[in-house]
C-alpha cells in the first residue's frame, strides 16, 4: 500500500517512522515533510491547506491511504477533498473537526453527549468576559475559541492577564479551573467503533517545575504508573464513545483520531479539551509503544471496518520524549541555527533513542532550525527511569545554539 502523510512536524515524523516499519507499506510519501522525514519518506511540496492540491497529489501518487496530520488542514476540509477523490483518508471531515476548531462547539457536543467537563461560558463582549471571570475566580482559565497552535490557552492567577488574553481572542471560552493531574488519551474511530490507545502525559509549560508560559508541549511519557488501571475503560465509556455517538447522531460522524485531554480531578475524570488529530508530543511516546503495524489500523478507520480489527498489541517498554526548542520559544523563536550531533545520536543511541524532527529544514548539507519546537528526542526502556536516562543522554549530544529543553520530563513518575 502507498501511503501519503500530510504535515511536517514531529508528529508526522513519528507517524512516518511507524509507517516505514510496516511491511504492508510499499511506498511512503510526505507533503511537505521536513529534513528528518526525508530519511524515511519521499517529500513533495504542497500547500497542506489546499484540499484540491492534496487530493491531486494523492491521485498522482496512486496513494492507497492519506493520513492528514495537523489540525489546520482538517479544519480546512482537506480530508473531505481527498475522500471526494475516492481515496481512503484518515482524518475527520471539516464539520467533525470543529470538535477541535471551536471550543464552543466542543462544549455543545459534550453537553449533548453527557460528557463530564468544566463548567464554561462562551463570551463575545467585554461585559460577558468580566462576568465570567468574576463567576469562576482564580485561577482563571481562558481559551481562544479557534485554533491557536497550542498557544490559545491562558491559565493564570492574574485577573488583568486573563482579561487581556480574553479581549484579544474575539470569541472566547472561560471555564472553571480543573484540579488534579492531566492525561492525554487517543482513540482511533471510524465514526462508530472506538479503539482507545495507551494514555500519556505531556508537559505544557516551558520551564522545569511547570513554570513559565504555555507551549505546544515540551515532552511526554507513557505509561502512567500512577494512573488507575481502569482509566482507559472508564474514559472509553464516559467520554470517547458518547462523543462519537453524539457526532454521528448530529449527522457529522467523526472518523480519524479523537484526542481527549483529561483532568483527573477530586470529583472524577473531566475533559479539558478535544483534538481532532494525534497530539504532539504524546504521539511520539504512544507510537513508540505500539506493536501492531500502524497502516492497517489507520486504513480500518478510513474504511469503516474497525470492528473487524484484532485487539491492538503493545510493547511493555516505557517511552519518554524531550522537546528541544529554539531560543526564545514560545515567543518569537530564532531560526536558521545549525543543528549538530544528529549523526552521533544515530550512531551511539539507536535503536533505543532517536530524533524526530519538528521545525527543521535542510540548508545544503546542514540541518537548521526552522521553528519553535525543533526536535523531539524519543527513547524507550524497560521502565521510565531507563527511558529517561536514554532520552537525556541523546539530548546531550544535540547541539543547537541558544536551544532550551526541560530537564524534568517524567522525573516524578519515574521516581514514584
Amino acid at each position: 500500500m502507498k501511503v501519503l502523510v500530510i504535515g511536517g512536524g514531529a508528529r508526522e515524523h513519528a507517524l512516518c517512522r511507524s509507517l516505514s516499519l510496516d511491511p504492508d507499506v510499499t511506498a511512503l510519501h510526505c507533503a511537505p515533510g521536513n529534513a528528518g522525514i526525508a530519511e524515511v519518506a519521499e517529500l513533495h511540496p504542497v500547500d497542506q491547506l489546499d484540499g484540491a492540491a492534496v487530493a491531486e497529489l494523492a491521485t498522482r501518487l496512486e496513494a492507497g491511504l492519506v493520513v492528514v496530520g495537523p489540525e489546520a488542514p482538517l479544519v480546512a476540509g482537506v480530508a473531505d477533498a481527498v475522500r471526494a477523490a475516492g481515496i481512503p483518508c484518515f482524518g475527520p471531515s471539516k464539520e467533525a473537526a470543529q470538535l477541535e476548531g471551536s471550543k464552543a462547539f466542543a462544549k455543545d457536543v459534550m453537553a449533548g453527549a453527557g460528557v463530564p467537563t468544566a463548567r464554561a461560558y462562551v463570551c463575545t463582549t467585554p461585559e460577558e468576559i468580566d462576568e465570567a471571570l468574576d463567576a469562576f475566580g482564580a485561577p482563571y482559565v481562558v481559551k481562544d475559541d479557534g485554533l491557536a497552535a497550542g498557544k490559545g490557552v491562558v491559565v493564570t492567577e492574574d485577573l488583568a492577564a486573563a482579561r487581556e488574553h480574553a479581549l484579544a481572542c474575539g470569541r472566547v471560552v472561560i471555564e472553571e479551573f480543573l484540579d488534579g493531574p492531566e492525561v492525554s488519551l487517543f482513540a482511533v474511530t471510524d465514526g462508530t467503533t472506538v479503539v482507545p490507545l495507551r494514555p500519556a502525559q505531556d508537559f505544557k509549560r516551558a520551564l522545569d517545575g511547570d513554570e513559565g508560559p504555555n507551549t505546544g508541549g515540551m515532552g511526554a511519557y507513557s505509561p502512567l504508573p500512577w494512573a488507575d488501571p481502569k482509566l482507559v475503560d472508564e474514559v472509553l465509556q464516559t467520554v470517547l464513545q458518547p462523543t462519537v455517538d453524539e457526532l454521528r447522531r448530529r449527522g457529522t460522524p467523526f472518523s480519524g483520531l479523537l484526542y481527549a485531554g483529561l483532568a483527573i480531578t477530586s470529583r472524577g475524570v473531566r475533559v479539558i479539551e478535544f483534538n481532532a488529530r494525534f497530539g504532539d508530543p504524546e504521539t511520539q511516546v504512544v507510537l513508540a509503544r505500539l506493536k501492531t503495524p500502524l497502516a492497517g489500523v489507520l486504513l480500518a478507520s478510513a474504511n469503516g471496518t474497525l470492528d473487524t480489527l484484532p485487539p491492538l498489541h503493545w510493547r511493555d517498554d516505557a517511552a519518554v520524549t524531550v522537546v528541544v526548542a529554539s531560543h526564545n520559544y514560545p515567543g518569537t523563536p530564532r531560526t536558521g541555527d545549525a543543528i549538530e550531533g544528529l549523526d552521533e545520536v544515530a550512531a551511539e543511541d539507536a535503536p533505543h533513542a532517536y530524533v524526530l524532527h519538528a521545525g527543521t529544514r535542510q540548508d545544503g548539507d546542514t540541518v537548521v532550525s526552522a521553528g519553535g519546537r525543533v526536535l523531539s528526542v524519543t527513547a524507550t526502556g524497560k521502565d521510565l527511569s531507563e527511558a529517561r536516562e536514554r532520552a537525556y543522554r541523546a539530548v546531550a549530544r544535540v547541539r543547537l545554539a541558544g536551544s532550551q529543553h526541560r530537564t524534568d520530563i517524567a522525573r516524578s513518575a519515574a521516581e514514584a
Side-chain angles (χ1 to χ4, degrees):
M1 172 171 50
K2 296 179 181 179
V3 180
L4 170 62
V5 176
I6 302 302
R11 165 187 50 227
E12 288 76 40
H13 195 174
L15 287 164
C16 285
R17 183 179 186 276
S18 292
L19 289 165
S20 72
L21 300 173
D22 189 330
D24 289 334
V25 175
T26 56
L28 184 58
H29 302 268
C30 187
N34 63 38
I37 295 174
E39 297 176 6
V40 294
E42 182 179 347
L43 303 189
H44 304 270
V46 76
D47 178 355
Q48 59 184 347
L49 299 179
D50 186 337
V54 172
E56 188 278 328
L57 175 62
T59 301
R60 178 158 46 85
L61 294 174
E62 299 180 335
L65 173 67
V66 174
V67 180
V68 182
E71 60 273 28
L74 291 168
V75 171
V78 167
D80 302 271
V82 173
R83 278 190 279 268
I87 300 170
C89 185
F90 181 81
S93 67
K94 179 178 182 176
E95 290 189 7
Q98 285 303 304
L99 199 63
E100 177 170 4
S102 168
K103 302 290 190 299
F105 176 81
K107 288 290 187 184
D108 189 59
V109 170
M110 284 187 271
V115 168
T117 186
R119 293 178 298 120
Y121 293 101
V122 180
C123 306
T124 56
T125 68
E127 293 76 19
E128 290 174 344
I129 288 168
D130 290 339
E131 183 179 332
L133 291 171
D134 183 60
F136 288 130
Y140 304 101
V141 181
V142 183
K143 299 180 175 181
D144 192 333
D145 181 52
L147 293 180
K151 300 175 197 170
V153 179
V154 165
V155 181
T156 180
E157 298 277 350
D158 186 334
L159 175 59
R163 189 172 190 272
E164 181 183 11
H165 181 66
L167 291 170
C169 289
R171 194 179 196 213
V172 65
V173 174
I174 297 173
E175 62 184 43
E176 66 174 328
F177 176 77
L178 297 175
D179 64 330
E182 296 184 10
V183 173
S184 299
L185 184 61
F186 301 161
V188 176
T189 179
D190 57 9
T192 301
T193 301
V194 181
V195 178
L197 306 186
R198 291 291 167 91
Q201 185 174 60
D202 78 330
F203 295 75
K204 291 294 187 192
R205 298 286 185 172
L207 306 176
D208 284 6
D210 290 328
E211 298 290 333
N214 257 1
T215 72
M218 295 300 291
Y221 70 93
S222 179
L224 312 181
W226 49 268
D228 187 328
K230 299 176 183 177
L231 175 65
V232 173
D233 287 340
E234 178 188 348
V235 175
L236 175 62
Q237 293 168 16
T238 64
V239 173
L240 299 170
Q241 191 70 58
T243 299
V244 169
D245 291 344
E246 173 67 10
L247 285 165
R248 187 176 67 253
R249 185 189 69 78
R250 292 175 177 224
T252 56
F254 188 105
S255 170
L257 195 289
L258 178 58
Y259 166 124
L262 310 164
I264 313 302
T265 77
S266 55
R267 295 174 292 144
V269 174
R270 297 289 186 272
V271 175
I272 300 170
E273 66 175 352
F274 283 125
N275 289 340
R277 40 72 194 182
F278 279 103
D280 178 0
E282 300 97 321
T283 301
Q284 290 85 303
V285 293
V286 173
L287 292 186
R289 301 185 61 218
L290 179 63
K291 187 181 290 184
T292 299
L294 182 61
V297 179
L298 305 186
L299 185 62
S301 166
N303 287 337
T305 56
L306 271 179
D307 60 333
T308 67
L309 199 70
L312 300 180
H313 292 284
W314 296 90
R315 298 181 177 90
D316 293 331
D317 287 356
V320 172
T321 193
V322 179
V323 171
V324 177
S326 293
H327 174 72
N328 201 42
Y329 179 77
T332 302
R334 191 174 75 200
T335 60
D337 290 310
I339 304 168
E340 299 177 328
L342 300 178
D343 290 345
E344 295 169 34
V345 175
E348 301 293 335
D349 301 299
H352 302 298
Y354 47 89
V355 177
L356 298 169
H357 291 232
T360 69
R361 63 179 175 84
Q362 195 77 35
D363 185 5
D365 294 332
T366 305
V367 177
V368 301
S369 61
R373 291 186 295 170
V374 181
L375 304 168
S376 282
V377 181
T378 304
T380 57
K382 66 179 184 295
D383 55 27
L384 286 174
S385 293
E386 185 173 63
R388 273 193 93 245
E389 180 184 340
R390 288 171 169 172
Y392 279 106
R393 186 189 308 145
V395 167
R397 300 189 200 278
V398 176
R399 298 179 295 280
L400 171 62
S403 66
Q404 56 179 312
H405 65 272
R406 284 184 58 159
T407 66
D408 62 347
I409 303 300
R411 182 165 61 199
S412 295
E415 293 174 350

